[in-house]
Amino acid sequence: MSTAVPERPAEPGGPAELTAELPGSGPGEGPGAVARSRPAMPRGIGWSVRWIAALTVCQTALMVGLGLLITGPVRHLWPLTAEDRVNEAFVRLRTGTLTALSFVASQGGNTGTVIGVTLASCLGLILIPRLPMWRQAVFLAVAVSLQSLVFLVITFAVDRHRPEVDRLDGSLPTSSYTSGHTGAATAIYGGLALLALSRLRGPWRTVVACLLCVLPLLVGLARLYRGMHHPTDVMGGLVNGTLSLLIARRALLADGAVAAPPAPASTPTAGPSRPVAPGRTAVIFNPTVTDEAGRDALRRVLEHHGRTAPVFVETTAEDPGGGQTAGAVRDGATLVVVCGGDGTLRAAAESLAGTDVPLALVPCGTGNLLARNLGLPLAPADALDAALRGTAHRVDLGRIEGDGLPPTHFAAMAGAGLDAATMRRANANDRAKAVLGWPTYVLAVLRELRTPRTGVSVRLDGAPALRRTARMVLVGNIGTVQGGVTLLPDARADDGRLDLLILDPRGIGGWLSALWTLLRGGTTASREGGEGGAPVEFFTFRRAEFTFDSELPRELDGDPVTAGRHLTAEVGPGALTVLLPAREQ
């Protein structure tokens, strides 16, 4: 049953405060004004502190346990028995040039450099942007501090001598395990890479992030070259720094609080648009990803834009948003705000399809595919503010049905095979999704790569059927997924068509070819493109019919649905009205 949530004022100074100052706000500007305030922690400062403390204890126990294993029961086992030969090999490689380069690389992870880079980065995040990025600055500082704290505990608990080779640097009387230089470099440069991926625009963001991720590896190699650590010490440093980043990210950058990705080419920039009519506002929210602090922040944004007394209605396990949205439309809502993940959005879009009631999308889930492809910020309050400053645009929806699958809409993607098996595995582990976020899907797909291929007949727009084998068939209204990977390079949310990817790699060479095609953006294959056999094929269509030789797992917008052998997909041109930020033409 839907539940209306009454308005409640936020506690002064509490975590519900907005993380950004909305333009035009300030003292004395009326009841809807929003003043500059301190950054909000995802579920309250107390929750963040408890989360960090609990997981740091677990991280410390894990790292100390691994160190005691390396110096104890397994020290006579391979590959530990080969570590001395690795260190000696690095000594034999030494030249004047390499020694000079290794000194520079090693300095990238020493205490002074790491402290300097951390302070400079934090000050830059606070002072340079128009709106101070307090949460990102705290994230960097906490990640580096956690790594250092765990490292100090490890050095007291684990006693390991440094390699018996000529060492090029002096050292403190600390244990060789773990490499403090490598761990610190992983925390600071890895943290900067995460921020680069979420804040920079254009193709350079990936390049910058990759270069930053290479720096800890160079520091680790330099420490091996200079005889300061065993290989497992360097690996331990990488693990320690990475775990610190994951803990800090989950506690301080949860629910996409940092991300504000670039608007990709598929963002609708033209076509009919209109302002939103004043009137009743309904906020449909998923209570598992939108807490009271988040609702308070959204309420203040709405009031700032003149949307007073919004009605908050929560979804349930039995009704993920469709019934609540339909009820809001019946009650006269002129704006529906949907706060949740892709599943909540799909359910709401099903009820809004074909109506003139606009949707303001507030991404709060793990995937948030449509929000990413439409260029919305991934911080909930920022996304709502950007949408309310924009205008209403018509975007397409997909409509799909099959055996055991009644007709329904999808907003982002639907598929059968490998992607559906991946979603099923990822969604089965809520704890991993909560800790890791979207990288959970990467781990899941690696475990499902052996999904068998099957034969499939594909009929596009009434043309003669194509016969293919496939590990995955993916239909998309948009093209880019988590991590900035583009699976459907020609997909646009407003072009009146759907796009199709057929994936059928064979052997290692086929997988590498498919990966290369996807990473470079691919090219759309012709419908008359022969008998198939390519690792990746692309098509566009308005209506498609699929018949599989065997029953396959299926998914809609990331949610697994019943398996089956038949699918029919067609586009609903301009079926959904969405508020989108204004774009420069």
Side-chain angles (χ1 to χ4, degrees):
M1 178 179 294
S2 304
T3 304
V5 180
E7 295 185 61
R8 288 177 51 182
E11 296 179 5
E17 292 176 329
L18 288 177
T19 61
E21 180 185 35
L22 301 177
S25 64
E29 296 186 22
V34 181
R36 183 185 301 270
S37 58
R38 294 186 298 274
M41 297 303 175
R43 297 182 184 174
I45 296 177
W47 178 89
S48 298
V49 172
R50 290 192 298 271
W51 174 276
I52 291 173
L55 287 189
T56 301
V57 171
C58 295
Q59 174 186 349
T60 304
L62 173 64
M63 297 305 303
V64 170
L66 290 175
L68 295 177
L69 279 176
I70 291 172
T71 58
V74 301
R75 68 181 184 277
H76 298 304
L77 301 179
W78 189 91
L80 295 178
T81 53
E83 287 195 295
D84 289 342
R85 293 194 294 274
V86 173
N87 288 112
E88 291 164 0
F90 274 103
V91 171
R92 291 193 295 271
L93 289 174
R94 289 176 181 173
T95 65
T97 300
L98 289 178
T99 298
L101 291 175
S102 72
F103 174 79
V104 174
S106 180
Q107 292 302 300
N110 72 14
T111 302
T113 302
V114 170
I115 292 176
V117 172
T118 302
L119 289 176
S121 301
C122 291
L123 289 174
L125 289 167
I126 295 170
L127 299 177
I128 294 176
R130 182 177 63 88
L131 296 176
M133 298 168 64
W134 287 98
R135 186 177 295 184
Q136 292 85 341
V138 173
F139 158 73
L140 280 182
V142 168
V144 174
S145 300
L146 286 183
Q147 184 282 144
S148 300
L149 176 63
V150 175
F151 167 74
L152 289 176
V153 175
I154 293 171
T155 59
F156 282 109
V158 180
D159 184 17
R160 191 181 198 191
H161 297 294
R162 297 187 183 273
E164 297 296 331
V165 296
D166 179 34
R167 296 192 287 274
L168 299 180
D169 296 323
S171 62
L172 295 173
T174 56
S175 173
S176 179
Y177 175 89
T178 63
S179 171
H181 281 63
T182 308
T186 302
I188 181 58
Y189 302 125
L192 289 172
L194 286 175
L195 297 184
L197 285 173
S198 63
R199 304 304 304 186
L200 297 182
R201 297 180 179 273
W204 281 104
R205 71 189 190 113
T206 302
V207 175
V208 171
C210 289
L211 290 176
L212 287 167
C213 288
V214 167
L215 292 179
L217 301 178
L218 293 178
V219 171
L221 284 175
R223 301 302 286 171
L224 290 174
Y225 177 92
R226 301 181 72 81
M228 302 307 297
H229 295 285
H230 306 88
T232 47
D233 303 332
V234 170
M235 293 176 63
L238 290 171
V239 172
N240 188 33
T242 301
L243 290 176
S244 298
L245 278 176
L246 291 176
I247 292 172
R249 177 184 180 275
R250 173 55 185 163
L252 301 170
L253 304 182
D255 298 327
V258 177
S266 62
T267 302
T269 57
S273 65
R274 63 183 187 280
V276 181
R280 180 184 176 92
T281 301
V283 181
I284 312 301
F285 70 95
N286 183 339
T288 64
V289 294
T290 309
D291 60 11
E292 184 176 346
R295 297 195 296 273
D296 288 338
L298 297 179
R299 181 180 291 108
R300 288 201 294 276
V301 174
L302 287 166
E303 291 177 348
H304 177 79
H305 287 274
R307 292 275 170 176
T308 58
V311 177
F312 283 73
V313 185
E314 68 179 45
T315 65
T316 64
E318 296 75 21
D319 189 343
Q324 295 88 339
T325 303
V329 174
R330 287 194 304 270
D331 292 340
T334 60
L335 172 65
V336 174
V337 179
V338 175
C339 188
D342 293 321
T344 307
L345 168 63
R346 179 171 63 85
E350 177 76 19
S351 296
L352 290 174
T355 72
D356 290 327
V357 179
L359 164 73
L361 176 56
V362 178
C364 296
T366 305
N368 304 314
L369 294 186
L370 186 63
R372 295 174 190 271
N373 282 264
L374 294 180
L376 285 167
L378 296 189
D382 292 346
L384 180 57
D385 180 54
L388 293 176
R389 293 179 183 281
T391 52
H393 293 256
R394 290 281 192 177
V395 299
D396 306 331
L397 287 177
R399 185 178 181 275
I400 197 163
E401 61 182 305
D403 50 326
L405 180 63
T408 187
H409 288 90
F410 65 91
M413 294 179 175
L418 174 62
D419 69 314
T422 298
M423 297 301 175
R424 181 179 58 192
R425 179 178 290 275
N427 290 347
N429 194 341
D430 292 336
R431 180 172 299 179
K433 286 176 63 177
V435 174
L436 299 179
W438 65 260
T440 306
Y441 296 105
V442 178
L443 299 177
V445 76
L446 293 176
R447 300 187 65 178
E448 295 290 346
L449 287 179
R450 297 179 64 86
T451 298
R453 65 171 48 85
T454 188
V456 57
S457 295
V458 184
R459 185 182 299 274
L460 303 175
D461 294 332
L466 303 173
R467 185 66 184 171
R468 295 290 190 268
T469 58
R471 293 184 186 272
M472 180 177 82
V473 169
L474 185 68
V475 175
N477 188 37
I478 49 90
T480 301
V481 296
Q482 297 94 333
V485 177
T486 300
L487 297 181
L488 294 163
D490 292 337
R492 288 177 54 90
D494 63 345
D495 61 359
R497 304 179 71 88
L498 296 176
D499 286 65
L500 168 65
L501 178 151
I502 299 178
L503 181 70
D504 187 32
R506 300 169 184 265
I508 295 178
W511 281 107
L512 292 176
S513 176
L515 181 62
W516 172 248
T517 299
L518 295 174
L519 289 178
R520 67 186 176 90
T523 55
T524 302
S526 168
R527 293 188 187 177
E528 296 78 30
E531 299 298 322
V536 182
E537 287 186 278
F538 302 98
F539 303 89
T540 61
F541 65 90
R542 291 184 175 86
R543 177 182 171 85
E545 301 173 38
F546 304 93
T547 301
F548 303 98
D549 291 353
S550 58
E551 193 173 80
L552 292 181
R554 301 180 292 193
E555 60 90 8
L556 299 178
D557 284 340
D559 289 335
V561 295
T562 179
R565 295 183 56 198
H566 302 281
L567 281 176
T568 299
E570 60 182 323
V571 67
L576 184 66
T577 303
V578 182
L579 292 185
L580 295 179
R583 299 292 178 192
E584 295 182 2
Q585 302 296 323

